Amino acid sequence: MSVSSSNNIIPIFVISLPDSADRRETIKATLDALSLPFEYVDAIDGRHGLSREHEALVDRDGATAFTSHPLTDAEFACALSHIEAYRAVVDRAIPFALILEDDAIPQPALPKFLEGRHFDEADLTSLCYSRAYIRPKTATHLFGEHKSYRCEPGIPVPEAVGYIVSLAAARHLLKCALPVAGVADWPACTEIFKARNRWRLVHPRLVDHATRKDDGIPSIIKPTRVDRKRRFLGVYIPPWEKVWRSCKWRLSYRFRGFRRINL
């Protein structure tokens, strides 16, 4: 389906592997029901390794330095697929575009948000997250119960399942995100948007995420990692990353005026 400018709706790009027929049909039915025109961006397939062309666009050593685990080919492919969406925005000089992964679930309030252009004052607007940290005092009322909040510098950011990107942001991401040294959620160069107060998060979420628990099918764009439970004398020992995140939340974010919002 091609993108249309009817009803003042910005272009919508859905990142999806060409052979993901079931996922394409599901999100097409959802967007059609919301009267939201869209087009597919063919995702890069990393299930059987990266091609020589795509291998030249990643930095495996750099990725290991910035993450606690080596990235899989599927994770590299996911990040490269989002870059293809940014390239489409830049090549066609699109002022704003909504980017969705094919397992996103747009919510009924999304058309009203888009028609009201409640994203104009930000370069990045996050619509989907499983956990986020916000300052209530940065809230801007949009419509109904929906508000937008500032994404603060140094604070973990939402997922790249559903978000709006401006032309300026797409140009910046194309310039700094290559070679890929991390997952799609998010390149380190996006911190500049937080520092300039140009990154907003919408709550309640306008895009949900179909997880493995929801449909029994793991995403082939960005597979879910299995957390191997470690036990000592029969007692579950959480990974140090989870312990650190919990302590950081309790000892830092909470006392700096943040509120955590979850699924």
Side-chain angles (χ1 to χ4, degrees):
M1 179 177 291
S2 62
V3 171
S4 168
S5 60
S6 61
N7 298 325
N8 200 32
I9 297 296
I10 61 174
I12 300 174
F13 296 101
V14 175
I15 300 174
S16 179
L17 288 166
D19 61 357
S20 298
D22 291 342
R23 290 183 178 274
R24 288 193 173 206
E25 290 178 5
T26 298
I27 195 164
K28 179 182 184 302
T30 303
L31 291 172
D32 285 350
L34 297 175
S35 299
L36 294 177
F38 71 98
E39 68 178 69
Y40 294 111
V41 173
D42 287 340
I44 295 169
D45 194 343
R47 290 171 291 180
H48 307 293
L50 298 177
S51 67
R52 182 177 301 179
E53 173 190 359
H54 295 131
E55 188 67 39
L57 301 177
V58 305
D59 179 4
R60 294 185 182 273
D61 294 334
T64 303
F66 285 100
T67 61
S68 59
H69 60 270
L71 294 184
T72 65
D73 288 334
E75 288 172 315
F76 278 124
C78 176
L80 289 170
S81 299
H82 281 264
I83 290 174
E84 288 300 309
Y86 306 147
R87 184 170 287 112
V89 173
V90 172
D91 289 347
R92 291 153 61 175
I94 299 172
F96 289 93
L98 169 59
I99 298 175
L100 300 171
E101 293 184 353
D102 64 356
D103 53 356
I105 306 176
Q107 298 300 294
L110 180 59
K112 185 174 182 179
F113 173 82
L114 297 176
E115 290 171 1
R117 300 192 66 86
H118 296 293
F119 48 81
D120 275 342
E121 296 184 359
D123 285 311
L124 284 172
T125 303
S126 294
L127 308 179
C128 179
Y129 48 87
S130 57
R131 178 185 295 113
Y133 302 90
I134 54 93
R135 288 183 193 267
K137 67 180 182 180
T138 67
T140 298
H141 182 262
L142 302 179
F143 61 93
E145 61 179 344
H146 288 83
K147 299 179 180 179
S148 73
Y149 298 87
R150 177 183 177 182
C151 285
E152 301 281 345
I155 303 299
V157 296
E159 303 167 1
V161 176
Y163 58 98
I164 294 174
V165 61
S166 71
L167 177 58
R171 285 173 174 160
H172 175 75
L173 288 165
L174 273 181
K175 181 179 179 180
C176 72
L178 292 172
V180 173
V183 296
D185 318 323
W186 283 88
C189 61
T190 54
E191 285 291 317
I192 190 173
F193 299 118
K194 297 181 186 177
R196 294 177 178 176
N197 193 19
R198 300 289 295 175
W199 192 339
R200 306 289 291 183
L201 174 148
V202 177
H203 180 71
R205 294 174 303 166
L206 292 169
V207 176
D208 209 337
H209 188 198
T211 63
R212 180 180 304 190
K213 183 177 180 181
D214 294 328
D215 59 12
I217 305 174
S219 171
I220 53 181
I221 288 185
K222 186 167 55 177
T224 303
R225 288 189 170 271
V226 178
D227 181 16
R228 296 193 181 121
K229 292 187 176 182
R230 297 177 291 180
R231 296 183 179 276
F232 178 73
L233 298 179
V235 178
Y236 168 56
I237 308 298
W240 70 268
E241 295 94 340
K242 289 188 177 181
V243 176
W244 165 241
R245 283 199 299 267
S246 177
C247 292
K248 192 174 183 180
W249 157 246
R250 294 175 184 276
L251 300 178
S252 178
Y253 299 157
R254 181 179 298 179
F255 295 108
R256 288 162 57 192
F258 286 92
R259 180 168 65 90
R260 183 169 66 188
I261 49 180
N262 299 331
L263 271 174

